[in-house]
Amino acid sequence: MKQIILIPQDVDESGKNYLQEKGYELRILQDSSIENICNNIGDCSGLLLRTVPCTKEVFDAAPHLKVIGRHGVGYDNIDIAEATAQGIKVCYTPLANANSVAEHTIMLLLACAKNIVIADKELRQGNYEIRNQMPGIDVFGKTLGIIGFGRIGKSVAKKAALGLGMKILAYGRGLEIKEVPDYVTIIKEVDELIRQSDFISLHMPYSKEMQGFMDSTKLSLMKPEAVLINTARGGIVNEDDLYHALINHKIAGAGLDVFIDEPFKETLSNLFQLDNVVVTPHSAALTKEAMARMSLDAAIGIDEVLSGKKPSWPVN
């Protein structure tokens, strides 16, 4: 009898084809609600998971579940402690989307620096003089502070330094000089990095400890002409504090791919009303290439565990 892999939200064909070639049966849901997942997971050995929450309720409904393959880098939607307690392996795809997110980060940085969104809107309304009303800035020679220096942070640093001629400051807990290239300067105190930077890009994983990390206190340390970029997780930034910093011109702008509520439960964030904010719908990792890699790598992790092999990218 074939082992069944549950896929609550559809994924690229690469991962599905891989699992089918390995002899698994796939169960792809049209409704990814917790209730529907619980109703369909009872006889499943594996779960290929994107963004829906995986809570104790799901685990309790899955007596045969042995592995979760997380389609992405973040795994804050999974109750890792509960998975571990129930002997369920969790794998993820740390190599799949680093370059894609780094490219998106650079795009947001440049869009903010060059006032792309407002220039586009004004020009479409016939205001050609916007070119003189809102001049952009060069990023060459400017300082980019990167908070969180894992794979994505390192990729952003390389593109910004070698491609755009920016000065790079990096902060990461336990980060050592031997771990960074010569075009990166390590800053031991995150507040000092914030003070020195013209652009700040967030790349740390989300945790309860990091919730609201970028709050009014941290934002007050930024230069008035500085820009905040967040392609990590929405909860890292206190959105109310950021809104007030932007509307009161305490900082110059923000480029945001992630938000506290995704998708939006009621009304859009106040941040969406501001011209000095560039927003995208948590799509940094959703390039065709990254989606294929995430799907395949998650599938590989599932098969490795179910085949009794050591997983290549374990979480627990």
Side-chain angles (χ1 to χ4, degrees), residues 11-208:
V11 298
D12 183 82
E13 294 297 320
S14 58
K16 294 186 290 186
N17 291 340
Y18 182 88
L19 290 170
Q20 288 175 322
E21 289 168 4
K22 293 291 184 177
Y24 299 101
E25 178 183 335
L26 305 185
R27 182 175 295 162
I28 304 169
L29 303 183
Q30 300 300 316
D31 171 10
S32 61
S33 66
I34 296 294
E35 180 182 6
N36 197 42
I37 292 172
C38 290
N39 289 338
N40 282 276
I41 202 171
D43 56 349
C44 295
S45 300
L47 174 63
L48 202 167
L49 190 73
R50 289 185 61 182
T51 59
V52 294
C54 192
T55 61
K56 187 177 186 300
E57 182 182 2
V58 174
F59 294 132
D60 288 344
H64 302 289
L65 189 65
K66 297 180 178 65
V67 59
I68 299 170
R70 171 66 172 96
H71 181 282
V73 175
Y75 40 84
D76 48 287
N77 60 321
I78 303 172
D79 187 335
I80 300 297
E82 185 62 30
T84 305
Q86 296 202 24
I88 299 168
K89 297 290 186 182
V90 180
C91 307
Y92 71 138
T93 61
L95 307 182
N97 64 11
N99 180 72
S100 303
V101 176
E103 287 186 0
H104 198 94
T105 300
I106 295 297
M107 180 275 295
L108 287 174
L109 187 154
L110 289 172
C112 290
K114 308 301 181 182
N115 299 318
I116 291 298
V117 172
I118 190 168
D120 177 272
K121 183 178 73 172
E122 289 293 316
L123 184 58
R124 290 172 189 269
Q125 294 174 353
N127 182 14
Y128 190 76
E129 278 306 302
I130 189 65
R131 65 198 289 269
N132 295 313
Q133 295 162 355
M134 286 194 69
I137 61 169
D138 289 344
V139 301
F140 179 84
K142 298 296 194 304
T143 297
L144 170 61
I146 298 175
I147 303 176
F149 209 66
R151 293 180 181 87
I152 297 173
K154 289 175 182 175
S155 184
V156 170
K158 183 176 182 179
K159 297 176 191 303
L162 304 184
L164 298 175
M166 301 185 76
K167 301 173 184 176
I168 309 298
L169 307 180
Y171 170 83
R173 292 180 180 177
L175 191 62
E176 301 291 339
I177 293 177
K178 62 183 179 181
E179 298 173 335
V180 304
D182 56 9
Y183 52 77
V184 174
T185 300
I186 294 176
I187 302 296
K188 294 295 185 181
E189 298 293 333
V190 68
D191 287 0
E192 186 56 33
L193 177 145
I194 293 172
R195 289 189 186 96
Q196 292 187 35
S197 300
D198 300 303
F199 295 85
I200 295 170
S201 192
L202 305 178
H203 297 287
M204 65 280 247
Y206 176 81
S207 65
K208 289 183 179 179

Side-chain angles (χ1 to χ4, degrees), residues 282-299:
H282 202 157
S283 56
L286 301 188
T287 65
K288 293 179 180 179
E289 296 84 355
M291 292 291 281
R293 289 190 296 264
M294 286 189 288
S295 177
L296 178 59
D297 288 359

